[in-house]
Amino acid sequence: MNKDILNETLKLLSMDQINDLMCGSISVFRINDKKYTVIDGKNVKVVIGNDYKYTFDKTNGNFCRWGETYEDDPDYSPIGGEILDIEITTSCNGINGKLCPFCYKSNTPNGKNMDFDAFKVILDKIGPQLTQVAFGADSQATSNPELFKMAEYCREKGVVPNITVANISNDIADKLASVMGAVAVSRYDDKNVCYDSIKKLTDRGMNQINMHFMICEETYDACLETLKDIKDDPRLKDMNAIVLLSLKKKGRGVGFNPLSANKYDKIVKFCLENDIQFGMDSCGAKKFLDTVKDHPDYEKFKMVCEPCESTNFSQYIDVNGDFYPCSFCEDAKGWENGISVLDISDFLKDIWYNDRVKEFRHALNSNCNNCHKARECPMYDI
């Protein structure tokens, strides 16, 4: 390992983190005559290579990625995705028996589950560079009985498990708090279901609790109401942030309409003026940067705003074990069928560097002809 590159990485770490790495496991990748070393400690994981490096703190989610220099931003990970979005069930009962009206998956109670053995095979194949798993589950986190077994296996592999829910019981809140890194709670028609679920999690000491809110013309008024509630409702006082999700007209979401730029500007302005912690999905990064282009903190916003990273730094695998660039690409043009992870032997060779995946990566990375140099979705008009 190049000592200069190692020292450059260690500068970003505390002494406790360095000591943690000293007891960690080491994996080595060799890609096109380049060497990348993964060091996985209990609380921190790092990747060290000449043109690709990262540090990841498993205790709080802090992540830093750079290339040959700190100023260099790699186009993609040469050793596989850092994040895995994995669907472990397509069965969902919605909220109080009412299905989400804009679910892009169009899930119903009559779905199917991924079993633990398949999940284990997938996680083992993807590799040690993986930092986090985001479970695609149901609103109550009860449809797949092996969910928490899967989450525990993530921890065993040095990967932080995360999940999105909407309406959880106290028992499920206990289980989530015992193993998950971050939990997002989706806000639907009944805001009290969302707010009560958030409080159950923060009451258990979880500090990485976000609220997911899908923004569109039809939900605009409810979004403004929610932002005011964040300032005033005691159930939300320990929440981390609200995350604004962009509408993709897919599944049951086809009948909804994208939020106008003017209304989006008002939402962002309200958050900034009222010190409300907020974020957005990577799909909406360009829209956000357009909104804050004249803000004095624009460069800071740009640095922490990650545009679409599908096939660059993240990947999606559906309930059948099939790979897609992201969950919204499933059944889309060119991705009517995924690539079976269960049937391949070498994830990097057979998937990450598969011609179809490389074509999508090229299309995404070429689709950034705007003043922000932000990658824009090549599949949907966001």
Side-chain angles (χ1 to χ4, degrees), residues 362-382:
H362 176 73
L364 173 63
N365 292 340
S366 301
N367 194 25
C368 58
N369 295 319
N370 61 79
C371 60
H372 313 298
K373 304 297 184 186
R375 298 179 295 268
E376 296 182 65
C377 179
M379 309 294 283
Y380 293 91
D381 184 14
I382 307 297

Side-chain angles (χ1 to χ4, degrees), residues 297-311:
D297 290 327
Y298 171 78
E299 289 301 325
K300 178 175 141 183
F301 292 147
K302 185 178 178 182
M303 184 170 58
V304 298
C305 186
E306 177 87 282
C308 178
E309 73 278 13
S310 300
T311 71

Side-chain angles (χ1 to χ4, degrees), residues 98-216:
K98 181 182 178 182
L99 298 177
C100 167
F102 46 76
C103 175
Y104 72 95
K105 297 289 298 184
S106 297
N107 286 344
T108 71
N110 303 314
K112 64 182 293 188
N113 292 329
M114 176 182 287
D115 63 48
F116 175 76
D117 290 339
F119 177 82
K120 183 176 183 297
V121 168
I122 290 168
L123 207 67
D124 289 348
K125 286 185 178 182
I126 287 180
Q129 85 291 340
L130 192 65
T131 63
Q132 301 182 69
V133 160
F135 285 111
D138 61 297
S139 62
Q140 298 171 310
T142 57
S143 290
N144 191 321
E146 296 186 294
L147 162 63
F148 292 100
K149 185 178 180 181
M150 294 173 178
E152 291 287 356
Y153 188 68
C154 288
R155 290 290 185 179
E156 290 176 23
K157 297 289 288 186
V159 176
V160 177
N162 308 304
I163 194 170
T164 300
V165 296
N167 180 23
I168 57 171
S169 66
N170 284 313
D171 177 60
I172 291 297
D174 287 337
K175 293 178 179 179
L176 293 173
S178 72
V179 68
M180 296 293 175
V183 178
V185 182
S186 295
R187 159 61 154 103
Y188 296 119
D189 290 343
D190 188 343
K191 68 180 184 180
N192 291 310
V193 170
C194 173
Y195 298 0
D196 288 343
S197 292
I198 287 173
K199 188 173 187 300
K200 287 173 185 176
L201 295 166
T202 56
D203 279 353
R204 285 158 173 80
M206 298 192 75
N207 54 24
Q208 295 294 323
I209 305 302
N210 295 321
M211 181 193 300
H212 276 182
F213 196 105
M214 198 282 289
I215 52 172
C216 64

